[in-house]
Amino acid sequence: MTLVLRNVRPWGGDAADVTLDGGVIAAVGPVTPEGAAPAGGPAGSAAGAQVVEGRGRILLPSFSDVHVHLDSTLLGLPFRPHTGAPGVWNMMLNDRQNWRGAEASVAERATLTLGAMIERGTTRVRSYAQVDVDAGLERFEGVLAAREAHRDRADVAVIAFPQAGLLREAGSADVLEEALKLGADVVGGIDPCALDRDPVRHLDIVFGLAEKYSLPVDIHLHEPSQLGLFSAQLILERTKALGMQGLVTISHGYGLADLPAGQLQELIEEMGSLDVSMATIAPAGAPLPLQQLAAAGIRVGLGQDGQRDYWSPYGNADMLDRTWQLAFTSKFRADELIEHCVAVATVGGSSVIDPAANRLASVADRPGVDVGDPAELVLVEGGTVTAAVMDRLPGRTVIHRGRVVADSLQLV
């Protein structure tokens, strides 16, 4: 099916008609008058095409949420006050005590939240699914069910995630491996030093399973400053030793921004040389140095983390809101840098999920809406891209594989 987006502004630039065919952008040409047959496209493919009226809206690559916990979401349910005590282990125990008491199943909650994410412009997702001796595979299977429910509306990769660690409870590694056998796309890990207190054994398990099942790795790293640096260095050592360049992601990396400038730059350069990517949720406190990461060619993506769950009351399924948060916590004011946050939230995240996808070459790079690019797109309201981030207006049209999958202007 050929689809023409009439009168849209790629990355907020000049108005154009954009033709989608075969799941990619086939042509970008001048705007045709409303009611006239659209021109352009390969071999006149636009003739008889479906037309979406852009009304001068901004055309962006669709959002990529690369760090979301669909298995824990409570969006759509009655609000719950935050009851968790500080610390990863304490928060995990609080979640464990409460998650089965929700009014809806994991599958139902994950499906609702994923649908809301799609409606707001996200078509590429990397979600965690907690696997441990308490939940077994129940939460993992719930996320798989959500992915299946929206299989024609978004691409979802599922991370088998040992939230409780791998060494503190007997059988944890076995549950993780069982999830990999059932089709998990990524092997997860978490705080090798601070949580499991044995980074060598923890990383032996994570990277051993990744090598056994030929899967990428994504490791939560909440550890502070020098401890976080130590764990990151061990992760980089494993990446290099196993030849896993391009297949490893460090998520959060909270403590890395607190490192002395020299240590931080050295770490960034090594990450760049090994093509280790990063995922951030734009937390309060010291932000990731996005400009340094971009200069080193490091793939960086954005995610919403848990959304209104037992870990945090924040999150609303809207990656444009989280993009605003990334710009705000980074203390960005210049349009170029705020637009870079949009690029991170869209193309940047896509390259974290798929290292063969378009990558950001610099903070000024704006790929994803040119001929040959994937037809993963979103139309948003706004005078400029920065204005769209500041205002976060409704009126979005979402396109996945060249087909409209959500449109707030009409029923789909």
Side-chain angles (χ1 to χ4, degrees):
M1 180 191 75
T2 301
L3 181 70
V4 175
L5 310 177
R6 193 202 313 267
N7 188 20
V8 299
R9 293 183 293 128
W11 276 107
D14 294 337
D17 283 358
V18 176
T19 302
L20 314 178
D21 195 33
V24 299
I25 297 175
V28 179
V31 177
T32 55
E34 187 171 345
S45 63
Q50 179 185 350
V51 177
V52 171
E53 296 296 345
R55 299 185 298 105
R57 286 177 291 169
I58 296 171
L59 180 68
L60 298 171
S62 59
F63 293 106
S64 304
D65 189 329
V66 301
H67 188 111
V68 63
H69 294 261
L70 285 173
D71 64 312
S72 67
T73 177
L74 296 171
L75 285 176
L77 301 184
F79 188 83
R80 288 164 167 76
H82 182 64
T83 55
V88 170
W89 183 254
N90 291 328
M91 295 286 283
M92 185 281 300
L93 290 177
N94 182 66
D95 176 82
R96 180 178 285 184
Q97 187 175 20
N98 288 288
W99 71 271
R100 288 187 175 90
E103 294 88 342
S105 69
V106 173
E108 290 168 332
R109 291 183 278 119
T111 299
L112 183 146
T113 295
L114 180 57
M117 292 165 59
I118 294 166
E119 290 164 6
R120 291 160 175 77
T122 297
T123 69
R124 294 166 288 202
V125 178
R126 199 186 232 193
S127 174
Y128 299 90
Q130 184 167 325
V131 291
D132 60 19
V133 295
D134 168 69
L137 297 172
E138 184 176 345
R139 297 170 72 142
F140 175 73
E141 290 169 344
V143 176
L144 292 184
R147 176 170 72 178
E148 177 63 19
H150 293 288
R151 65 183 182 276
D152 296 325
R153 305 180 71 209
D155 294 324
V156 180
V158 182
I159 304 169
F161 178 52
Q163 179 74 74
L166 291 167
L167 305 176
R168 297 179 68 141
E169 298 175 313
S172 297
D174 296 331
V175 182
L176 175 61
E177 183 166 11
E178 190 61 30
L180 304 182
K181 292 177 181 177
L182 292 177
D185 302 291
V186 184
V187 185
I190 180 171
D191 294 342
C193 293
L195 185 60
D196 268 345
R197 302 175 184 176
D198 191 336
V200 173
R201 287 180 61 202
H202 182 96
L203 295 176
D204 278 348
I205 295 170
V206 170
F207 279 89
L209 289 172
E211 188 175 26
K212 181 177 179 179
Y213 292 94
S214 300
L215 293 174
V217 165
D218 185 302
I219 298 181
H220 275 57
L221 201 57
H222 308 95
E223 297 169 350
S225 194
Q226 295 299 314
L227 189 61
L229 173 62
F230 178 63
S231 286
Q233 289 171 333
L234 293 180
I235 291 167
L236 297 182
E237 285 179 8
R238 300 295 180 116
T239 302
K240 184 176 182 178
L242 295 175
M244 289 186 64
Q245 290 88 339
L247 298 175
V248 175
T249 300
I250 294 176
S251 282
H252 295 316
Y254 291 144
L256 304 186
D258 291 325
L259 294 174
Q263 284 186 332
L264 177 59
Q265 185 58 36
E266 184 177 349
L267 178 66
I268 286 174
E269 289 174 1
E270 187 172 3
M271 289 178 64
S273 70
L274 294 172
D275 196 13
V276 170
S277 62
M278 293 203 72
T280 183
I281 61 166
L288 284 181
L290 294 181
Q291 292 160 282
Q292 280 180 268
L293 294 170
I298 294 174
R299 293 171 291 129
V300 180
L302 180 65
Q304 290 210 75
D305 208 15
Q307 299 181 74
R308 192 169 293 185
D309 57 13
Y310 287 107
W311 291 73
S312 167
Y314 295 94
N316 63 355
D318 192 343
M319 278 289 288
L320 192 53
D321 273 5
R322 190 57 59 122
T323 303
W324 178 93
Q325 182 173 316
L326 180 62
F328 182 78
T329 56
S330 298
K331 299 180 175 61
F332 289 162
R333 290 182 171 85
D335 281 13
E336 180 180 78
L337 295 178
I338 293 171
E339 287 190 15
H340 177 61
C341 291
V342 179
V344 167
T346 57
V347 176
S350 176
S351 71
V352 170
I353 297 170
D354 177 9
N358 279 338
R359 298 180 176 215
L360 297 176
S362 70
V363 295
D365 196 15
R366 304 290 180 263
V369 292
D370 300 315
V371 172
D373 286 336
E376 302 289 328
L377 302 163
V378 60
L379 288 168
V380 299
E381 300 276 8
T384 68
V385 174
T386 297
V389 174
M390 295 301 112
D391 296 336
R392 304 183 298 287
L393 297 172
R396 303 179 200 175
T397 301
V398 187
I399 295 156
H400 173 56
R401 298 182 183 174
R403 185 175 67 88
V404 175
V405 295
D407 192 342
S408 62
L409 302 182
Q410 61 183 0
L411 295 176
V412 177

